[in-house]
């Protein structure tokens, strides 16, 4: 077992793994040996190869990354899920680890933080068609108005920035589809600053949240949300998984 990684209270580690890393049969077999029987059954329910590859890459990423912080073999990690499907470790570490997983065609990402609920979303590939129509239908009024003011060439990318921020926030809350995308609204500044406002009073205070938006490999839009006071500003550190994937898969 490699040395256990330490995570400082104000750092968020963002791990990423290309889904093609599990494309060949040998690696896929080795990765499956890290998964639980339930995860293997879930993989087999997917009918498309690309979906299976994304699932295996995501679960391999999650298990391998968490093993680095807990010192537990990735195949021995056990999870539970809340009523909306957000997972947590059954045997929590000290200090508690919070994590979240997302994947899209071509890339899987995982965030890890201490103590505070965190969410992540990644989107890539072709820009969404009709971004203004989607924003009018699903987003808060202020967000749809801001998007309509952007240059036409900028609108698809701006839509993805908002979409990933919204998904990451909902995932950090751990409430899934129980929340409407219009229940909260983001403001995006040119300097990268991101702020949120709430329509629903039960969401608490906006200044108790932090957000980050970034691009990986120029193709993928990533957003991170963490319930952590703005006064405790966090640092996001992006890390590739390839270097630590091989020791686990090669021994099996």
């Amino acid at each position: 077992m490699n040395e256990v990684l330490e995570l400082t209270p104000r750092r968020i580690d963002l791990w990423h793994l290309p889904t093609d890393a599990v494309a060949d049969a040998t690696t896929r077999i080795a990765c499956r040996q890290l998964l639980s029987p339930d995860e293997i059954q879930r993989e087999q329910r997917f009918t498309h190869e690309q979906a299976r590859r994304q699932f295996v890459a995501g679960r391999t990423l999650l298990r391998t990354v968490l093993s680095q912080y807990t010192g537990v073999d990735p195949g021995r990690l056990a999870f539970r899920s809340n009523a909306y499907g957000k997972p947590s470790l059954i045997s929590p570490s000290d200090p508690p680890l919070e994590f979240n997983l997302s994947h899209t065609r071509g890339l899987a990402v995982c965030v890890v933080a201490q103590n505070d609920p965190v969410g992540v979303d990644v989107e890539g590939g072709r820009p969404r068609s009709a971004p203004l129509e989607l924003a009018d239908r699903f987003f808060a009024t202020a967000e749809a108005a801001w998007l309509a003011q952007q240059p036409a060439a900028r609108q698809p990318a701006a839509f993805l920035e908002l979409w990933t921020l919204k998904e990451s926030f909902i995932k950090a809350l751990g409430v899934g589809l129980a929340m409407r995308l219009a229940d909260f609204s983001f403001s995006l500044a040119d300097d990268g600053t991101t702020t949120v406002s709430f329509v629903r009073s039960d969401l608490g205070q906006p200044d108790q949240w932090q957000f980050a938006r970034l691009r990986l490999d120029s193709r993928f839009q990533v957003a991170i949300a963490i319930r952590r006071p703005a006064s405790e500003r966090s640092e996001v550190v992006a890390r590739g998984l390839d270097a630590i994937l091989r020791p686990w898969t090669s021994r099996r």
Side-chain angles (χ1 to χ4, degrees):
M1 179 65 194
N2 295 333
E3 182 180 352
V4 174
L5 293 178
E6 293 186 4
L7 188 63
T8 59
R10 294 195 182 184
R11 196 178 82 219
I12 303 170
D13 283 354
L14 170 67
W15 293 87
H16 50 93
L17 173 70
T19 55
D20 285 346
V22 300
D24 67 276
T26 301
T27 302
R28 187 83 66 88
I29 291 172
C31 289
R32 283 196 186 100
Q33 294 182 37
L34 306 181
L35 307 187
S36 68
D38 175 68
E39 289 169 328
I40 293 174
Q41 289 180 1
R42 289 166 61 188
E43 182 215 351
Q44 293 172 346
R45 296 190 192 113
F46 293 105
T47 57
H48 297 290
E49 166 63 20
Q50 183 62 39
R52 286 189 169 196
R53 187 181 302 177
Q54 289 180 21
F55 181 81
V56 172
R59 301 310 296 186
T60 300
L61 171 68
L62 179 64
R63 286 181 170 276
T64 307
V65 163
L66 292 180
S67 74
Q68 304 303 303
Y69 299 96
T70 62
V72 178
D73 186 289
R76 295 182 179 276
L77 290 168
F79 302 89
R80 64 164 63 92
S81 296
N82 71 6
Y84 301 97
K86 185 176 183 180
S88 60
L89 287 170
I90 289 179
S91 298
S93 59
D94 185 21
L97 282 179
E98 295 283 345
F99 59 89
N100 198 231
L101 173 70
S102 181
H103 51 69
T104 188
R105 186 181 182 93
L107 192 71
V109 297
C110 174
V111 287
V112 185
Q114 275 190 13
N115 299 310
D116 303 308
V118 65
V120 66
D121 189 55
V122 59
E123 298 285 344
R126 294 181 180 180
R128 303 250 176 167
S129 60
L132 295 183
E133 294 179 19
L134 289 171
D136 285 336
R137 183 177 178 185
F138 295 109
F139 288 0
T141 302
E143 292 170 326
W146 173 82
L147 188 63
Q149 294 171 358
Q150 303 304 304
R154 159 79 174 139
Q155 287 173 359
F159 176 88
L160 281 186
E161 290 184 56
L162 286 171
W163 181 271
T164 53
L165 282 166
K166 285 179 166 291
E167 288 291 314
S168 69
F169 177 65
I170 289 175
K171 293 176 72 176
L173 286 174
V175 296
L177 298 176
M179 176 172 292
R180 299 183 311 124
L181 295 178
D183 286 340
F184 52 98
S185 179
F186 283 102
S187 297
L188 281 58
D190 292 338
D191 64 358
T193 304
T194 304
T195 56
V196 68
S197 59
F198 298 147
V199 176
R200 288 173 41 176
S201 59
D202 62 331
L203 293 178
Q205 298 299 319
D207 62 3
Q208 297 302 300
W209 286 90
Q210 297 180 35
F211 304 93
R213 44 191 166 104
L214 61 153
R215 293 190 69 82
L216 291 176
D217 191 26
S218 75
R219 296 182 296 151
F220 301 100
Q221 182 66 41
V222 179
I224 299 169
I226 187 166
R227 189 159 59 192
R228 180 176 291 170
S231 59
E232 302 175 10
R233 196 62 198 166
S234 300
E235 174 193 18
V236 176
V237 178
R239 316 175 73 137
L241 181 68
D242 288 353
I244 63 172
L245 175 64
R246 297 189 187 96
W248 288 113
T249 57
S250 63
R251 72 173 65 176
R252 296 176 182 270

